[in-house]
Amino acid sequence: MAATTRSDTRPATSDLAASVGLVDADLVEMYRYVALARALDERMWILNRAGRIPFVISGQGHEGAQVGIAWPFQRGHDWIAPFYRSIATCLTFGMSPRDILTAQYATATDPSSGGRQMPGHYGSRQHNLVSVSSPVATQLLHAVGIALAAKIRRTGQVAMTSMGEGSSNQGDVHEGLNFAAIHKLPFVFVVENNGYAISVPAARQVSVPNVADRASGYGIPGIVVDGVDVLACYVAARDAVARARAGQGPTLIEAKVTRLTGHSSDDQQTKYRSAEELEAELKRDALPAFRAQLIEAEILTEAIEASIAAKIAADVEDATDYAESQPDPDPATALHHVYAGDAGDGPDVAPDADSATETSD
Amino acid sequence: MAATTRSDTRPATSDLAASVGLVDADLVEMYRYVALARALDERMWILNRAGRIPFVISGQGHEGAQVGIAWPFQRGHDWIAPFYRSIATCLTFGMSPRDILTAQYATATDPSSGGRQMPGHYGSRQHNLVSVSSPVATQLLHAVGIALAAKIRRTGQVAMTSMGEGSSNQGDVHEGLNFAAIHKLPFVFVVENNGYAISVPAARQVSVPNVADRASGYGIPGIVVDGVDVLACYVAARDAVARARAGQGPTLIEAKVTRLTGHSSDDQQTKYRSAEELEAELKRDALPAFRAQLIEAEILTEAIEASIAAKIAADVEDATDYAESQPDPDPATALHHVYAGDAGDGPDVAPDADSATETSD
Amino acid sequence: MPTRTFIDAIRETLATEMRRDESIIVLGEDVGKKGGVFLATDGLWAEFGDERVIDTPLSESMIVGASIGAAVNGLRPVAEIQFADFIFPAFNQIVSEAARIRYRSNDGYGVPMTIRAPYGGGVHGALYHSQSVEAFFTHVPGLKVVVPSTPYDARGLLRSSIRDEDPVLFFEHKKMYRSVRGDVPDTDYVVPLGKAAITHPGSQVTVIAYGLMAHYALEAADRVGEDGISVEVVDLRTLRPLDTETVLESVRKTGKCLIVYEDNKFGGYGAEVAAIVAEEAFDYLDGPVTRIAGPEVPGVPYNHALEEWFMVSPEKIADGIRALAAY
Amino acid sequence: MPTRTFIDAIRETLATEMRRDESIIVLGEDVGKKGGVFLATDGLWAEFGDERVIDTPLSESMIVGASIGAAVNGLRPVAEIQFADFIFPAFNQIVSEAARIRYRSNDGYGVPMTIRAPYGGGVHGALYHSQSVEAFFTHVPGLKVVVPSTPYDARGLLRSSIRDEDPVLFFEHKKMYRSVRGDVPDTDYVVPLGKAAITHPGSQVTVIAYGLMAHYALEAADRVGEDGISVEVVDLRTLRPLDTETVLESVRKTGKCLIVYEDNKFGGYGAEVAAIVAEEAFDYLDGPVTRIAGPEVPGVPYNHALEEWFMVSPEKIADGIRALAAY
Ligand SMILES: Cc1ncc(C[n+]2csc(CCOP(=O)(O)OP(=O)(O)O)c2C)c(N)n1
Ligand SMILES: Cc1ncc(C[n+]2csc(CCOP(=O)(O)OP(=O)(O)O)c2C)c(N)n1
Ligand SMILES: [Mg+2]
Ligand SMILES: [Mg+2]
């Protein structure tokens, strides 16, 4: 999805972009996704406080890592099994702001689940984004199985999954990494380590300083990246995708991120995190850091920034209006799709054409 | 249980014994357990071929590692959660040949289960040997929980569990090692790697050359020992027990052993192992190796060996006769012990006093 | 007698039991500093410290498996599974291990362990924060399964569960945590496991329920009472072992039996109750044994319209009673 | 028509299906070179190679979880769980994931996967190599559960399961593998999921069974036939979805219903059948709906005397029929 692959004329390439093998337009677009994810996420909290939506689970603090890591995967070809904080991942991989907000409102046209799942449980067949469930870490095995099928069917696809550091302690992770490593499957395991699993700090969750320290136990590379550094995340993922595509097997990437909000709208994190800690964590936000980096490199001009901001504002507004306007699912459809063919195939209410793509791209 | 701790006068100590901090009598006793386990095991196969017992699952090829590793644990104080090949472990930890053979015959007086479980599913409350079940690897978490209780209750106990390399791929292993490492529990994890999980070779089971390579991913020491070398196994376990007892947390010990028999009496291993491979594996038998080592060190004299052999022969004969003579459980007791107090406490048929201790010790 | 919410009764019972018996530990995800996502363990960590109130890593099989081991070595663990929906990773440890170690060791080992878990729908929890999972465990010999419906019972049954020598699954309907209040004495009373309660005596139709549905059944009984239908409500309280005697006595008296559960109907817990009643009270039945339960979908959907469609309600129960009474 | 053992029918069906559809893979423990511990996959590895016949590591959750992913990405996995007893580590993947992904994604994703597992007792397998586990899965919307009892049905139902778009649990009674033979045509016939079979028509008592018990029910029907009792045996074949119509039609005709299953009775599969019959055929019943099932212990004990005590037998069924007929 890098702009280089689509462009005929030689695009602008700053030293910064060149240093990671991208062009300036890529970096701008990456920035837009980071900022869009943040803006959508902030809107979710506003809607929650306004009583419009009952629950929010947020990706704030994870967006930089998510966009950087998702970037080298090929939209519509590769696969991602995301988790509940993967708003930026899902956007980067093709879901629209409308797709995200209809999920918050649980409308009939929510493409993730038709209003059947809680917000945060995204998914899209159209975009090869596996449907998110709540029991953590199960999706790792799905991504491994997808990679197995890719290898057997020789599709050239790579499968990625992401989750938090707490979730990485589930048995499924061990079982899946072992199998993927034995068969050198085209698989990338991403841990977004934000230091907490709800209230439990990483030191009480994971017995080693880095989840990536576990990779060697499976004979695969384990890489720690700073989630504040979007381009470092990109490079780590790019290399992992290249290894996977070349038949060299899985990679574990651990991005050190921060959780800028409570675990969810049901959580009061001040009960277990000090004010100083929360204050300090603000500095680990990739959004201002990436912005500063792109301004410094003269990639993000004031004009570009203004146009991005306008676009994002319009997108978020449009998505909100759209989601607000969408109908609830009809209980008459609630028995559908327990099994194939229960009620014809496909969702009961087709999301309208616009909602499936970005509104202003 | 080392003889040094019981003896008042200075016991005989060869260089070999001294090199591992034991006395000669320990080494002789260790040898006796290795040989006893083998003799009992061979008797099981004879009884199986003679149609006396329907099923055998064997420890042949594992005995040296089991005795060496069990040795530093304190009988009646520490805990072991063994697996189905742990005949030598159970003997070393206090079960008698009668205990082992009544399990093969599934008699009412079988102390492991009163005839309720398949052979190989040993256990003894009296000896702190946790009851073996069939689903592999579950026992690791029990041992971890025992270690947790030991730490909380400040009993000074160490808990050990053992299993095969195939079993180490279960999710429970990951979850348990992580927890034990975080809390620095007094826990020792023993993998008896015999190269196969039924028919599947280790290379298709474990994505790294050694299961012990996984220890670093939990921040604990991982030690590979040659299961042919009984004293090396002892030393590894002794050090692990010392670490555990000192509050320094768990250790993973992987003993490279061999499986001299089929997986069980139901398995034909020639279907998946070549004649050459089986031939070569015979050289990896700790029994003759340990014997040669002790003869070389002049610890095992002809006289001692003859007396051990006689004792073992008598023990095996006695255990066979005893087990043959024991009654089947009464179906009238089959509903007992689903819950506490279902039928008074304790087993329905008390094993007779002799059976619970070694017959000729 | 002091009035308490359902969750307060649970929390205080945990505290008083821990004061009484220092072999009791509490472990689970977020049970420590945070006090549990529902605050059912709030304050325990401050009072009993790190060793007796353990914030575990996010791994349910470990929570249960380690509890089994701890129980074998002299502790009395009370494990919390954050949502009943997340008990499945621990299924093997519960069903293969905890339930069987006593039987398979011929009484050599037992597992005095309680597993608490919030269950149930009607709280916008969707597929994975709304489940009723009791049927998976009530089938298993070696386990006990408890579902209290009042603060009084919650306290008395939790005490019995913790003091029991065998593994007990203790399911708490999360919708009741703060919405249900009741009198709870400060005495050290227990409610024995395996005893149902008649919470509304009546003569024409027996309604059998538990958990939140025991409340809805009472509401329904009141409604149809206005139409002159006399309903006897049996609150099972313990699902395994089932108090067959109380159930049969009531049905033999009324001749009509409606079983209510929130879980999807097919193969749910109420099927067993129906089967027992159909066999053992056959000669007394004046109408078919009927059931009102959730629809056959794999989880409660999130959207409020769909959730409402899913949930058994007092009205649906009242309709079922009316139909049965008219039979 | 060629005669085959039960296991041969299964093995050959796997082979012919794999020849027909190259998206089918077989995976599990020891399914490759060894051909499975019961040899149900013998020969497949030699014919289809390492990529389509995969000896997995010893990790059931992985087997099922990876099969789900593979199914999502275009394959049709047929996973073997070595013994049904060892399916519990995969419980979360089956119940939380495979069963729900279609519903939760509003038909975005489906999981065309078959899980085969040998189940059942009477083979000296003790607690952990004898279990009947169907009740844990028949309760779950989104899953289909099949238990064939003849080589003919094994082939026809396995074909339907593999070709189905949803996850199917296919349980094979291991005692039948070599002891049961029957005619199996070489044609590409299927037996549809969800259809029971009347294997012995009769008029006085309906006996409902499946798997090994379907054979024992026939034996029992013959025995009591000698005493002049006419029994109709219904072999359910598919447990979810249940063929309610065939069951009710038979009971409405005979007026008496005995349900037989090998699993422990309380909360077992037969409870649901009993509940449905008790409700839907109430007006036709001339006797209580009765059940014969295993005792309430957590697994089949090993010793032959205890195992015999545990197992439902043709005699026990015949006694049950006689008692019901005499009612
Ligand atoms: C199997 C399971 N157990 C418990 C939960 C409840 N739960 C949801 S998120 C969460 C913490 C996850 O922490 P982490 O993996 O670090 O991800 P983060 O939320 O920090 O991004 C828990 C305990 C769950 N969803 N699934
Ligand atoms: C959960 C589970 N799955 C499958 C089995 C069947 N099984 C018994 S032993 C075994 C192989 C074990 O191999 P390994 O761990 O290497 O131990 P070994 O037998 O080689 O000593 C298998 C697959 C089981 N007992 N439990
Ligand atoms: Mg986290
Ligand atoms: Mg092995």
Side-chain angles (χ1 to χ4, degrees), chain D residues 286-321:
Chain D
D286 299 321
V289 180
T290 54
R291 293 179 288 163
I292 291 191
E296 294 302 312
V297 296
V300 184
Y302 178 69
N303 177 284
H304 66 97
L306 301 184
E307 184 177 46
E308 206 176 297
W309 165 87
F310 184 100
M311 291 295 292
V312 171
S313 62
E315 299 88 80
K316 291 178 190 170
I317 300 171
D319 289 347
I321 296 171

Side-chain angles (χ1 to χ4, degrees), chain B residues 62 83-85 134-136 163-168 170 192 194 196-198 259 263, chain D residues 29-30 58 60 82-83 86 89 129:
Chain B
H62 292 236
F83 77 125
Y84 45 85
R85 296 205 195 283
S134 303
V136 299
M163 68 181 65
E165 79 292 348
S167 304
S168 75
Q170 286 280 339
E192 300 179 15
N194 61 13
Y196 282 87
I198 308 187
R259 195 185 78 194
H263 173 72
Chain D
E29 295 156 14
D30 304 289
L58 209 178
E60 285 77 9
Q82 199 161 80
F83 286 83
F86 305 137
H129 295 78

Side-chain angles (χ1 to χ4, degrees), chain D:
Chain D
M1 202 149 49
T3 286
R4 288 182 173 87
T5 60
F6 192 68
I7 196 166
D8 282 347
I10 290 164
R11 202 187 55 244
E12 290 172 18
T13 307
L14 290 170
T16 54
E17 285 296 296
M18 290 183 81
R19 280 175 213 134
R20 186 187 57 77
D21 179 353
E22 68 167 19
S23 72
I24 298 170
I25 62 166
V26 162
L27 72 170
E29 295 156 14
D30 304 289
V31 298
K33 216 168 186 177
K34 184 172 166 77
V37 294
F38 291 101
L39 304 182
T41 57
D42 203 23
L44 299 182
W45 177 76
E47 179 172 354
F48 301 103
D50 269 342
E51 281 204 342
R52 292 185 63 196
V53 182
I54 305 172
D55 269 331
T56 65
L58 209 178
S59 34
E60 285 77 9
S61 190
M62 187 284 290
I63 293 171
V64 174
S67 292
I68 293 171
V72 158
N73 197 16
L75 295 182
R76 217 164 256 277
V78 182
E80 177 176 300
I81 299 293
Q82 199 161 80
F83 286 83
D85 314 62
F86 305 137
I87 204 165
F88 299 139
F91 201 77
N92 192 39
Q93 284 289 348
I94 298 171
V95 171
S96 299
E97 299 296 332
R100 300 188 197 185
I101 195 166
R102 186 181 300 283
Y103 191 76
R104 79 175 187 232
S105 68
N106 205 19
D107 214 27
Y109 291 101
V111 176
M113 159 182 79
T114 303
I115 300 177
R116 295 179 39 253
Y119 83 98
V123 297
H124 310 308
L127 278 84
Y128 298 101
H129 295 78
S130 304
Q131 286 173 78
S132 300
V133 302
E134 66 277 7
F136 295 114
F137 302 101
T138 49
H139 175 48
V140 181
L143 300 180
K144 298 183 181 180
V145 181
V146 175
V147 186
S149 77
T150 64
Y152 180 93
D153 283 350
R155 164 160 295 185
L157 288 165
L158 184 54
R159 280 210 183 101
S160 293
S161 301
I162 292 174
R163 298 175 190 183
D164 199 88
E165 294 304 319
D166 288 300
V168 180
L169 291 149
F170 191 91
F171 293 120
E172 304 159 5
H173 201 296
K174 64 179 86 73
K175 194 184 171 98
M176 290 169 29
Y177 273 149
R178 290 181 168 78
S179 67
V180 170
R181 311 183 137 264
D183 290 338
V184 183
D186 283 323
T187 59
D188 187 48
Y189 72 93
V190 296
V191 173
L193 304 186
K195 293 274 169 253
I198 307 236
T199 53
H200 187 288
S203 60
Q204 291 171 277
V205 174
T206 297
V207 177
I208 298 169
Y210 51 94
L212 181 65
M213 294 301 123
H215 290 274
Y216 287 4
L218 288 175
E219 276 187 52
D222 284 345
R223 280 184 205 205
V224 301
E226 290 164 17
D227 313 346
I229 304 174
S230 169
V231 172
E232 177 143 305
V233 177
V234 180
D235 179 352
L236 293 178
R237 305 198 292 191
T238 301
L239 306 191
R240 185 178 190 105
L242 169 66
D243 183 354
T244 315
E245 210 173 305
T246 300
V247 167
L248 291 176
E249 211 169 282
S250 176
V251 179
R252 285 177 182 146
K253 182 177 73 179
T254 63
K256 291 189 173 169
C257 176
L258 172 68
I259 299 152
V260 181
Y261 51 110
E262 190 180 320
D263 198 4
N264 67 287
K265 189 175 189 178
F266 195 95
Y269 179 73
E272 178 60 37
V273 181
I276 289 174
V277 169
E279 176 159 3
E280 312 261 330
F282 179 70
D283 289 333
Y284 300 82
L285 289 176
D286 299 321
V289 180
T290 54
R291 293 179 288 163
I292 291 191
E296 294 302 312
V297 296
V300 184
Y302 178 69
N303 177 284
H304 66 97
L306 301 184
E307 184 177 46
E308 206 176 297
W309 165 87
F310 184 100
M311 291 295 292
V312 171
S313 62
E315 299 88 80
K316 291 178 190 170
I317 300 171
D319 289 347
I321 296 171
R322 287 193 193 97
L324 190 53
Y327 190 90

